[in-house]
Amino acid sequence: MPNKNLEEVKEQLQKHIIDESELSPADIASHLKRLKTHDEDEYAKYLEKLDPQTLGEAAMEMPEHMLRDVIENIPNDKIAEAIDELESDDATDLIQTIEEIDEEKAKELFSSLEIDSQKEISKLINYEENEAGAYMQTELFSARLDESLGSAIARFRIMKQEDKIENVFSLFVVDEGGVLKYTIALEDLITYDFNLNLSQIVSQDEEKFKPHFAIDSDDIKIAADMIMDYDLSAIAVTNRAGVLLGRITTDDIHDFLEESATEQIYNLVGVDDEAEEEGLVKTGRARAAWLFVNLITAILGVIVIGFFEKSIESLVALAVLMPIVASMGGNAGNQTLAVTVRRLALGEIELGDFWAVLKKEIIMAVINSLIFAIFLGILVGIWFDMPMLGVVIGVAMIANIIMAAFLGTFIPLTLKRVGLDPAVGSTVFLTTATDIIGFFVFLGLATWILL
């Protein structure tokens, strides 16, 4: 990075430290990353200067190698204070991430936290990673039915002044047992007389204030779908008895969707997303496992080609054209596979839609394969002055593209049916299948018709 830009980064960080400017946590993490790359001493200096709240928020945006610097160079009491400043869900995530880096350090930091923080983290950390409870924050703006609106607003004002809650979009109304009864949007609250009790307000239109909620043990996908379907900014989380426990906001869902998308991309190419965050040895081992699988499947393709060795020797044009058939089938299959996996992830299709999805993909494959088969067949016939070779490669392309569409639908739906992630290794198996089928049909037809 040019020195001029580096100086600008230092200046912006310095202004933030002395409260002359307000940088987002992502900006701070980005600036620190640039400093670490070009000036380790300055990086360490500015890292130490960050106040606890800023340090905690920035730490949530840091890659693992920078977070390691934090826990190795910043005093435990300052890191603990930074964690205490975070919302409960973020504090839990940060403790878990630190635990993955250094388990003993995580234990030391946890024991240094305030008792309330320890209780909240202990509660949230026990949820499975796919449960709604793992994504909720326990900081809430809630009130009982018999409380006046004015009293609730006064409490909310104090909570905001003391930075005890952020990103509030609604008031959760509960009964004397803490059971969630209603949800009132903040924009609606200010339209009512502050002297009214909340029970009087909701009685005017109970259907309007009917709450959307997820149970803490529900799959997080249920909460995500509800937030997206109803265009919500936040959703309540309860236990099975209906007692209000916390809330999930849109930023939590954004994190979940981002993690899911990343996991799908990795899985499609046979890469372990968790291993990628580890060291070189674990990362290399995880990748090597799938590369070995790919090697075995590639050998199968070579074996098929070996069956037609004499045909290839007799007509060299076959060797020239083989990659075209395999490539078109592979690309067509990957298109179908990507669409099917993504629609399964988004809940747009279910296992019962198999035949409808397959029919659509086959029809599309037939149309596309005919177009490209005619074009390539004419081109090959003219190129090699062998009209029948053009016919052979055209028929092979039609067969391979149609089969690729079938497999691109069949593989992920079958994996889903048996309870596996439909994206795991699908590309490896699909590519192998289309290669083998493409080689066999093309070389087989050529041997039968031309030789």
Side-chain angles (χ1 to χ4, degrees):
M1 173 192 287
N3 288 336
K4 181 180 177 181
N5 289 346
L6 192 59
E7 290 303 318
E8 289 177 357
V9 165
K10 294 178 184 178
E11 183 180 344
Q12 289 182 32
L13 283 172
Q14 187 63 27
K15 284 183 177 180
H16 179 85
I17 289 169
I18 61 177
D19 292 327
E20 290 184 8
S21 70
E22 186 67 30
L23 291 174
S24 70
D27 287 336
I28 294 171
S30 176
H31 288 345
L32 288 172
K33 185 177 181 181
R34 290 185 180 183
L35 278 182
K36 179 177 172 62
T37 303
H38 298 279
D39 193 333
E40 282 277 357
D41 291 337
E42 287 293 300
Y43 162 68
K45 183 176 73 174
Y46 281 104
L47 194 61
E48 291 175 359
K49 284 184 177 181
L50 294 178
D51 64 89
Q53 182 172 354
T54 302
L55 177 63
E57 293 172 346
M60 294 297 300
E61 305 293 334
M62 290 179 181
E64 185 176 299
H65 67 92
M66 287 179 63
L67 188 56
R68 188 183 298 274
D69 292 334
V70 171
I71 63 178
E72 289 178 353
N73 299 300
I74 303 298
N76 280 6
D77 57 345
K78 184 174 181 179
I79 300 176
E81 188 178 349
I83 296 173
D84 279 325
E85 293 286 346
L86 294 172
E87 293 179 327
S88 54
D89 57 335
D90 290 336
T92 303
D93 288 342
L94 188 53
I95 279 289
Q96 288 180 307
T97 305
I98 293 174
E99 185 178 29
E100 293 170 1
I101 298 172
D102 187 335
E103 189 172 348
E104 287 303 315
K105 175 68 75 169
K107 290 179 180 178
E108 292 174 10
L109 291 172
F110 182 80
S111 63
S112 301
L113 297 177
E114 296 176 357
I115 298 300
D116 288 342
S117 295
Q118 291 183 12
K119 289 180 179 179
E120 298 302 336
I121 292 173
S122 297
K123 184 190 305 179
L124 296 178
I125 211 167
N126 286 322
Y127 287 105
E128 298 293 333
E129 63 179 0
N130 66 320
E131 291 182 327
Y135 287 81
M136 73 176 178
Q137 54 187 241
T138 55
E139 294 81 6
L140 290 165
F141 176 35
S142 61
R144 285 175 46 165
L145 277 166
D146 57 2
E147 185 175 3
S148 71
L149 176 56
S151 172
I153 293 296
R155 263 191 313 103
F156 176 56
R157 186 181 300 114
I158 294 172
M159 292 171 70
K160 289 295 292 181
Q161 290 171 347
E162 297 178 353
D163 287 329
K164 291 184 176 180
I165 194 167
E166 295 179 358
N167 301 322
V168 175
F169 307 100
S170 55
L171 167 65
F172 298 115
V173 183
V174 299
D175 64 14
E176 61 276 4
V179 175
L180 177 66
K181 292 298 183 181
Y182 305 99
T183 300
I184 308 176
L186 286 187
E187 60 185 25
D188 290 328
L189 282 179
I190 61 176
T191 65
Y192 292 99
D193 184 344
F194 279 24
N195 293 317
L196 292 176
N197 282 351
L198 292 170
S199 59
Q200 294 173 304
I201 293 174
V202 296
S203 65
Q204 297 177 25
D205 191 348
E206 292 192 16
E207 190 63 30
K208 176 182 178 180
F209 303 121
K210 185 177 179 181
H212 294 286
F213 65 92
I215 297 173
D216 59 341
S217 58
D218 283 344
D219 193 301
I220 183 60
K221 292 180 181 179
I222 295 176
D225 289 344
M226 199 175 299
I227 283 179
M228 291 186 290
D229 291 345
Y230 294 99
D231 196 22
L232 304 173
S233 298
I235 186 173
V237 180
T238 72
N239 61 17
R240 292 198 174 277
V243 175
L244 181 64
L245 301 177
R247 61 178 179 142
I248 296 175
T249 57
T250 49
D251 63 319
D252 302 315
I253 297 302
H254 175 270
D255 292 342
F256 162 69
L257 294 176
E258 185 176 42
E259 291 167 5
S260 298
T262 300
E263 183 180 358
Q264 284 184 4
I265 291 170
Y266 282 160
N267 286 340
L268 276 172
V269 292
V271 174
D272 187 334
D273 60 314
E274 293 184 1
E276 287 302 302
E277 298 175 2
E278 301 291 344
L280 285 175
V281 175
K282 289 186 178 180
T283 301
R285 188 186 301 128
R287 292 192 187 189
W290 278 106
L291 287 174
F292 179 74
V293 173
N294 191 65
L295 175 62
I296 298 301
T297 55
I299 290 173
L300 295 176
V302 172
I303 292 174
V304 171
I305 294 174
F307 291 152
F308 301 96
E309 182 178 356
K310 292 183 179 179
S311 299
I312 296 173
E313 290 176 355
S314 301
L315 188 57
V316 178
L318 298 180
V320 176
L321 297 173
M322 277 194 307
I324 298 178
V325 178
S327 175
M328 289 296 289
N331 287 334
N334 283 330
Q335 287 178 344
T336 302
L337 178 66
V339 171
T340 304
V341 168
R342 190 62 183 148
R343 293 183 69 191
L344 279 170
L346 294 175
E348 295 178 359
I349 57 175
E350 301 292 340
L351 294 177
D353 301 321
F354 175 80
W355 293 111
V357 174
L358 181 61
K359 179 181 177 181
K360 175 186 175 183
E361 293 298 332
I362 293 295
I363 291 174
M364 196 178 306
V366 169
I367 295 172
N368 283 335
S369 64
L370 286 172
I371 293 173
F372 288 103
I374 293 171
F375 171 76
L376 184 61
I378 294 173
L379 179 62
V380 168
I382 296 173
W383 184 5
F384 293 96
D385 194 24
M386 294 180 64
M388 287 307 297
L389 180 58
V391 172
V392 167
I393 195 169
V395 172
M397 180 169 290
I398 292 172
N400 203 23
I401 290 179
I402 292 175
M403 184 56 68
F406 170 78
L407 293 174
T409 305
F410 177 80
I411 291 174
L413 285 172
T414 300
L415 290 174
K416 181 77 171 179
R417 184 178 293 277
V418 298
L420 298 176
D421 187 333
V424 175
S426 295
T427 301
V428 175
F429 297 115
L430 176 64
T431 301
T432 301
T434 53
D435 284 351
I436 291 175
I437 293 169
F439 292 149
F440 186 83
V441 174
F442 177 55
L443 296 175
L445 283 175
T447 302
W448 179 42
I449 296 176
L450 302 177
L451 303 174

